[in-house]
């Protein structure tokens, strides 16, 4: 177990994934003195939108003349401030700006002509250099951007810790991690003392809430999911589940009660 606060880096595909998925853990780390950075990979503003990219903006209720990604970066800064963590935005374009033409293509695997991983490696590597702990998605929802991030982090830091992607896991609770996620044990952190802060941070992503959480709403879904994860792992309280090597999980075990 670490004897001092360390540096934790959460590698988020989009401007919400880390907060939706492990916001409680990140808040707990920050509250105990850790330096916590959320490095979001695909955040670039693109001046000329493809039809699909424009549709992704319009279906969130954002007008065509608004810089959608600037809006989302501002939402992420607000969410990270609630958690007490530092946002970092890498200037790489999301999949709809890289030739993916429709929703089906986003979830059909990474395109052969997609060069996002080649661009992500040098952009991300400096932000991992001082990290004691690296957290990244398991890519449970099969989104191309999530798979690119998961595969990249697995190559750069195979001893990372891996979160269950929200809201995808609420739709497919039995989904398995993407094939590149290293073997490990699954641990649950009781985030009961930080769940309210996670919910408040997640609510900062105003442009995404209706699309991602529908009629149930962000607060009920996150609270229900935390209870369901606790029940699944046979633990009390509200839980975020993370996979990794037992020795790596112990590095942050002082943050809150963990069971593996």
């Amino acid at each position: 177990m670490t004897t001092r606060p360390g540096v934790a880096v959460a590698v988020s595909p989009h401007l919400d994934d880390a907060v939706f998925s492990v916001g409680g853990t990140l808040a707990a780390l920050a509250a105990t003195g850790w330096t916590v950075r959320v490095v979001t990979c695909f955040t670039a503003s693109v001046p000329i939108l493809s039809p699909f990219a424009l549709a992704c903006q319009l279906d969130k209720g954002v007008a065509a003349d608004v810089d959608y990604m600037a809006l989302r970066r501002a939402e992420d800064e607000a969410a990270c401030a609630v958690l007490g963590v530092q946002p970092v935005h890498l200037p790489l374009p999301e999949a709809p700006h890289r030739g993916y033409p429709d929703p089906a293509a986003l979830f059909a695997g990474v395109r052969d002509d997609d060069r996002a991983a080649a661009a992500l490696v040098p952009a991300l590597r400096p932000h991992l250099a001082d990290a004691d702990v690296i957290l990244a998605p398991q890519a449970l929802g099969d989104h191309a951007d999530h798979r690119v991030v998961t595969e990249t982090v697995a190559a750069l830091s195979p001893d990372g810790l891996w979160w269950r992607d929200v809201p995808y896991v609420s739709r497919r609770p039995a989904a398995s991690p993407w094939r590149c996620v290293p073997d490990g044990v699954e641990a649950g952190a009781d985030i009961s003392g930080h769940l309210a802060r996670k919910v408040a941070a997640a609510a900062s992503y105003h442009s995404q809430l209706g699309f991602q959480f529908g009629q149930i709403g962000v607060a009920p879904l996150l609270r229900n999911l935390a209870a369901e994860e606790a029940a699944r792992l046979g633990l009390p309280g509200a839980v975020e589940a993370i996979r990794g090597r037992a020795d790596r999980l112990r590095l942050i075990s002082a943050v809150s009660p963990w069971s593996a």
Side-chain angles (χ1 to χ4, degrees):
M1 183 184 301
T2 186
T3 58
R4 59 173 177 80
V7 175
V9 176
V11 185
S12 187
H14 303 122
L15 293 155
D16 58 23
D17 290 314
V19 173
F20 288 167
S21 302
V22 285
T25 299
L26 301 182
L29 286 166
T32 54
W34 281 61
T35 298
V36 182
R37 294 195 299 270
V38 176
V39 179
T40 305
C41 299
F42 302 112
T43 80
S45 294
V46 176
I48 300 176
L49 303 182
S50 70
F52 178 42
L54 179 58
C56 290
Q57 175 169 330
L58 296 176
D59 68 14
K60 310 299 189 306
V62 180
D65 60 348
V66 173
D67 185 335
Y68 177 51
M69 297 309 295
L71 171 65
R72 296 199 62 194
R73 292 192 298 270
E75 292 175 342
D76 188 59
E77 290 169 358
C80 288
V82 172
L83 298 182
V85 306
Q86 304 169 6
V88 177
H89 300 151
L90 301 184
L92 304 177
E94 291 186 319
H97 305 300
R98 302 197 311 270
Y100 290 78
D102 52 45
L106 287 181
F107 299 94
V110 179
R111 290 168 54 120
D112 292 340
D113 61 350
D114 189 346
R115 299 293 177 258
L120 180 57
V121 169
L124 180 60
R125 194 194 303 271
H127 298 285
L128 306 182
D130 65 340
D132 296 290
V133 171
I134 296 168
L135 301 101
Q138 295 180 16
L140 297 187
D142 300 328
H143 191 294
D145 284 339
H146 288 234
R147 286 190 179 180
V148 168
V149 169
T150 301
E151 291 172 358
T152 300
V153 175
L156 292 175
S157 182
D159 61 353
L161 304 180
W162 307 90
W163 71 65
R164 281 160 60 84
D165 311 52
V166 176
Y168 298 109
V169 70
S170 66
R171 304 163 191 161
R172 295 174 53 196
S176 298
W178 182 230
R179 62 193 181 198
C180 67
V181 175
D183 290 336
V185 298
E186 191 173 39
D190 184 352
I191 61 162
S192 300
H194 300 278
L195 182 55
R197 183 169 292 184
K198 173 181 179 175
V199 169
S204 300
Y205 298 103
H206 302 288
S207 67
Q208 306 302 304
L209 299 182
F211 181 81
Q212 296 291 0
F213 298 101
Q215 291 185 343
I216 186 172
V218 60
L221 188 145
L222 292 180
R223 292 184 184 124
N224 292 345
L225 181 60
E228 290 164 4
E229 290 284 72
R232 183 177 66 85
L233 296 175
L235 298 172
V239 161
E240 287 173 345
I242 300 179
R243 172 186 174 124
R245 284 184 0 212
D247 61 317
R248 303 302 297 169
L249 289 164
R250 281 195 294 271
L251 286 174
I252 58 173
S253 63
V255 169
S256 59
W258 282 75
S259 177

